[in-house]
Amino acid sequence: MVDWAAYVRQRLDLTGLESWRQVEVVEDLAHQLEDAYREAIVGGASEAQARAEAERHIADWTVLSRQLAAGPRGRRPPVDRWSERADDRRADRGRAMRSIDRWRQDLVYGWRLIRRAPGVAAMAILSLAVGIGANTAIFSVMRALVFRPLDVPDATRLVTVTDPQASGAISGLESGDRTLLSYDEFVAIRAARGPAVTELAALGSSTLATPVAVGAAADGPPARVQLVSGSFFPLLGVAPAIGRTFGDDVDRARMASPVAVVSQRFWQRQYGDRADLAGASIRLRRTTFDVIGVMPARFTGVIVGDTPDVWVPVTMQEAITPSVDWLTTPPGSARRVMFLHALGRLAPGATVEQARSALNGALAQKLNADAAGIGDASRRRELVDAHLAVRDGRYGFSPLRAEYQRPLVVLMGLVALLLLLACANVANLQLARATGRQRELAMRIALGAGRRRLVRQLLTESLLIAAAGALLGLGLAWWGDRVLLRLAGGSTPIPLDTPIDAAVLAFTAAVTVVTGLLFGIVPALRTSGVDLNVVLRAAAPNLGGRRRLLWRWSAGQLLAGAQVALSLVLLFTAGLFVRSLRELGEVPLGYDASSLVEFRVTPTNDGVARAEAPSAIEEIVATMAAAPGVIAASFSSNGLFYGAELGSDVSFPGRETRQNDMSTRFDLVGPRYFATVGIPIRRGRDVVAADATGLPGCWINETAARDFFGDADPIGARMVAHFSFGDAEYEIRGVVADALANSVRDGVTRRFYLPYRNFGVPQAAGVVIVRTADDAAAAVSTLRQRFRDTHPASTTPTFYPVRQILALDFGRDRIIAALASVFGVCALALASFGLYGVLAYSASRRTSEIGLRLALGARRASVVALMLREAGAIVIGGAIAGVVTAILAGRVLDSLLFGLTGRDPATMTFASVVLFGVAAAAALAPTLRATRVDPLIALRRE
């Protein structure tokens, strides 16, 4: 190696320069000459040519000496703490600049090498893009759903007063931790909230799909409307993009403030780029609202995954749901409509515990006042036994969080395994590629390059490949997020905002660096430690070395074994989720749902009085029953798999039961309900129109009959249902087969059915159920047109085949099964590529050995067996590790599976068979190619 510092001192006259200046000049010039020398070596020059090229870097040493002598001498200042620090900073800057220059050289050189082997680089980049893109996609969805704070000022001071994961409405009583609040409860708590909470706001727990008309147009498509209190926008502190928001004045009187604030997306859809609000109005059902403000695009509300289009005062509730009063709790009644979330803002310095104590005190005061007017002691106790679980509210509300948080964690683990597999695959590619670079790296070592310098160069190349994979992976992540939300939401994607923002980019950058180091460190350390003598003599490994590999795995074989293990884990997991989804789809419902269509009607929304709503629903049922191609029609309060459920405790006068838990679910149904749905009647008869009057009757399912009556006949027995508004007695008139109506996962529960008109509280809505002669999906358009023709004054509802609703209920399982299957296929492909690469590389390295064996009379079958033994050792070793890992990991999957456990032997067997089959196919090609080698050609290479 050339000592360039000595070379500079021999040729440069440094007389007259201070010693510190001489050291600085010599060091800088020596560094320049060394860089020029190395660049020439890398470019293919010989050692002599490279030295000559470096020496030409300085044209005239005499001129350079004169220039240095003529420059400002600048005596070195006296040594004190200030000058020493300045010199240290100057030296640090010099070292930093040299380090940056070396990194630049490494990047340029790495890019040149990638361009020389574009095929290998493309395969590596594509493998990493899949792994990094999948990780980024899952992370961005998880962050949007779980980890991203609300985009409002000082979000850390927000608290949720109700259950952040709840949605919908509850009618009746709720003890324990309150899920939601009624309107009058919110008003009372806000008034008595104390100093720990500066403000309290209410909002509907879910948006209401409401037809919206702009200007003089007829009813337009539904928009998401959210009811909020006047304190909602002031509490959040988000300024509108156009106009203003409403305040506390809208809470003073009901139906007196027809004003609306809209989202920017809704504004642009209806008004384009218009920048003023003059004359802007919308009609929600039968009420016209003045648009007073437009929120900025970044504001999507406080319920993650349920983005409103329009915000209106909660006091305008009856304009959105006409003839239904959700705001009033009758005096002396324990029953109340709970449909509001409550969000608070802590006072500076206040804690969540202080807020919880103050707000629970306010709730207790309100409930005790309400209970004083209730005569039933048990209902009084149930009413006052309620609490508020005040929590950190910076992440807002989200009913999707409970459903998807755990599956997303599992998917995050799966994509992490996929990325590890991709890293192993690329590491194998790098190892194979490094074999062809051994002479180059050995030459650099011989010329003085240290091992650390080589490792840095090789890691730089790995990071370049990882960065290219990350750039492509970001595009895949953007596309993957939309596929993910589409899979989860069915025909309507989940409205979740998943931008590629700074946090996502930081996550991707961190994954990129870790990935580059993971797949680059083994090849870098292994390649930089080459044996100089062996490589420079171009000596091939001898047969003894090959025999050593039979009992000691190389780095490539270890990586291939790891790929087999990881791919088996992913295949097993994918198999579990696919089988779980199939098990869900094969659960017997108790009836044939293939020809059932249902739709929800709310006559009160079209101006029908609440007392007349049941008659209006019956008229719609009769119209549907007379439609061509319809076998039968009926209706129920809950419908099938609509998500609604009613429940009550029951008792049986004069009869002892062994059941401590008397809770039972129920539904309100119309005539011919069981015949329409297809639920067999075991005893008694179906519901008829005459059941709407006279002695109230009820029907129970087989599970309720067995639990409450054993072998006795329940027909004619009396049953008392303990509703929140009072007790009601019924006569049992039928026993029907067990059937699923709300959730496949919950299984069959005790259930009773009541005639729709024989319930103590008049119902303003119902779900019409229609059985068609043909397939349900094909009949939807005919039924929709029939409804429009016969009820032109009514809002046309959305018609759903029951099978379609069931498919939506399986959204979580479908998304996990689909993505796990994709990851499993990718893992199988990567593992097969890795195994193929290792065996192909091994075969090429053993060409001389194979030729010698064949020349000495070995049969080709024995050579095939030799190669397949190597492949079998890799696959079997990796499979054993994979089985152990899969069994351990399967324990965390039990709660996400249906009908099987995370250690299912059939699924493990299937995954193993598939893996061995693919591995055999991957090993066969290089093995057969190795046996076709010409012994004479192979021996010449030796």
Side-chain angles (χ1 to χ4, degrees), residues 234-467:
L235 178 146
L236 295 177
V238 179
I242 305 174
R244 63 181 179 85
T245 59
F246 48 76
D248 289 343
D249 56 304
V250 302
D251 294 335
R252 293 172 187 165
R254 298 186 184 182
M255 296 298 292
S257 303
V259 293
V261 176
V262 301
S263 69
Q264 190 164 67
R265 181 181 58 182
F266 177 85
W267 177 258
Q268 290 179 343
R269 186 168 67 240
Q270 300 295 343
Y271 293 95
D273 295 329
R274 180 175 161 183
D276 66 278
L277 297 169
S281 64
I282 56 176
R283 190 171 69 256
L284 302 175
R285 300 200 187 278
R286 299 175 181 272
T287 304
T288 299
F289 288 74
D290 293 327
V291 179
I292 63 172
V294 179
M295 298 305 292
R298 63 181 177 83
F299 181 72
T300 57
V302 297
I303 301 180
V304 180
D306 193 3
T307 304
D309 297 308
V310 183
W311 291 268
V312 300
V314 69
T315 51
M316 297 297 296
Q317 171 259 316
E318 288 189 70
I320 309 302
T321 56
S323 303
V324 179
D325 184 4
W326 291 351
L327 305 184
T328 303
T329 300
S333 173
R335 183 182 179 86
R336 55 204 61 217
V337 179
M338 293 163 281
F339 69 103
L340 292 175
H341 275 310
L343 184 69
R345 184 175 287 277
L346 295 176
T351 64
V352 173
E353 289 72 20
Q354 291 171 334
R356 183 181 299 119
S357 176
L359 294 176
N360 272 296
L363 176 65
Q365 181 180 346
K366 164 64 177 172
L367 295 181
N368 285 324
D370 289 349
I374 299 174
D376 191 316
S378 63
R379 284 185 172 77
R380 285 201 304 270
R381 288 193 298 271
E382 190 176 0
L383 177 64
V384 300
D385 184 22
H387 319 283
L388 297 174
V390 181
R391 306 173 177 87
D392 183 352
R394 73 184 70 183
Y395 303 109
F397 303 90
S398 178
L400 296 175
R401 198 169 287 154
E403 184 177 5
Y404 284 100
Q405 182 171 348
R406 187 174 178 82
L408 284 173
V409 171
V410 171
L411 289 175
M412 201 72 195
L414 294 181
V415 295
L417 291 179
L418 184 66
L419 183 59
L420 284 175
L421 212 158
C423 288
N425 195 53
V426 177
N428 258 333
L429 288 174
Q430 293 289 82
L431 279 172
R433 185 185 176 197
T435 303
R437 299 179 59 189
Q438 285 187 344
R439 290 183 62 82
E440 169 209 333
L441 297 173
M443 181 66 71
R444 295 182 67 180
I445 293 174
L447 295 175
R451 189 178 187 188
R452 181 183 299 179
R453 183 73 174 83
L454 291 181
V455 169
R456 191 179 72 184
Q457 171 64 56
L458 294 169
L459 286 180
T460 302
E461 297 170 19
S462 299
L463 289 174
L464 266 177
I465 293 175

Side-chain angles (χ1 to χ4, degrees), residues 134-144 147 412 481 501 503-505 507-508:
N135 275 270
T136 302
I138 300 297
F139 172 79
S140 61
V141 173
M142 177 176 278
R143 179 174 177 272
F147 301 125
M412 201 72 195
D481 282 343
D501 56 12
V504 174
L505 290 175
F507 171 82
T508 306

